[in-house]
Amino acid sequence: IEQRLKDEAGTYGLVIKNLKTQETYFYNENQQFTTASLYKLWVMAVAFEQINQGNLRENDSVSLSRGQIEEIQGFWEEGIDQDAYYSVSDAIEQMIVVSDNDSAITLYTHMGEDKIDEFLKRHNFASSGFGSPPITNPKDIADYLEKLYKGTIVNREYSNKMLELLFNQRLNDRLPKYLPEKTRVAHKTGELDSFKHDVGIVELEGGD
């Protein structure tokens, strides 16, 4: 990895961990980056927390006007003029499997942004923040994924639901790109300007 990246102009951060043997490789693991769409991992977790606590139901409707979305987003998306309407379950699925922005914004606005920050503090993701823009580092995201793997994000039932959504990811041009076709990868991409991220769990016989 270091040989491959030494002449690259960009800034990279990686964490690789074998969850069976606990072998770990770090490269700029504390480097902060804008999250791009990785923040949707946090929104998903908080949504399932709210469902588990009875404050939200999967068939509840959430909506936001186009004007509100564009104001929050900070730019107007050409060719999109309709307001956003989703069920909670559809919003969660759309923001994960196709990284839909409208559904994510609608969902976290409905729940309250403060719940995202509270989630980050409670799980000790100390280098992550849901500001403008949201920020994180590879170490925090790796810790999130390991907690998800171990069933400690909400609980085992909801961690499994989140993993299944990540396994259904349709944007597969990064982590899965050079892997054998049937390799299962539960992952989430992020993209913003020149930044590209991908984070996830790769199922392998020698250790996920």
Side-chain angles (χ1 to χ4, degrees), residues 140-199:
D140 277 2
I141 292 291
D143 288 346
Y144 173 99
L145 290 169
E146 186 165 4
K147 287 186 176 193
L148 199 61
Y149 185 82
K150 291 178 176 178
T152 60
I153 300 288
V154 189
N155 56 33
R156 179 75 273 170
E157 177 189 355
Y158 284 108
S159 287
N160 284 346
K161 283 190 174 188
M162 289 184 264
L163 285 169
E164 199 55 43
L165 285 167
L166 294 170
F167 275 122
N168 290 332
Q169 175 64 247
R170 296 180 198 168
L171 307 175
N172 294 309
D173 62 341
R174 289 161 220 181
L175 281 181
K177 185 172 182 178
Y178 297 112
L179 297 175
E181 188 177 341
K182 292 186 179 179
T183 306
R184 293 224 315 156
V185 186
H187 69 113
K188 180 73 192 78
T189 60
E191 188 167 332
L192 182 67
D193 300 324
S194 61
F195 287 100
K196 287 183 186 289
H197 310 308
D198 203 356
V199 303

Side-chain angles (χ1 to χ4, degrees), residues 30-89:
N30 295 314
Q31 173 74 44
Q32 280 193 323
F33 296 92
T34 58
T35 64
S37 286
L38 299 187
Y39 80 84
K40 293 166 186 171
L41 292 169
W42 308 333
V43 177
M44 173 175 66
V46 171
F48 280 119
E49 279 188 343
Q50 292 297 298
I51 291 167
N52 186 53
Q53 292 167 11
N55 300 323
L56 200 62
R57 294 175 300 179
E58 293 191 44
N59 61 355
D60 282 349
S61 296
V62 291
S63 63
L64 213 57
S65 72
R66 175 53 43 187
Q68 288 173 299
I69 290 172
E70 304 303 349
E71 184 178 349
I72 293 166
Q73 199 163 239
F75 61 89
W76 188 270
E77 291 192 72
E78 198 70 34
I80 302 178
D81 56 10
Q82 72 271 24
D83 297 339
Y85 296 92
Y86 303 92
S87 69
V88 168
S89 62

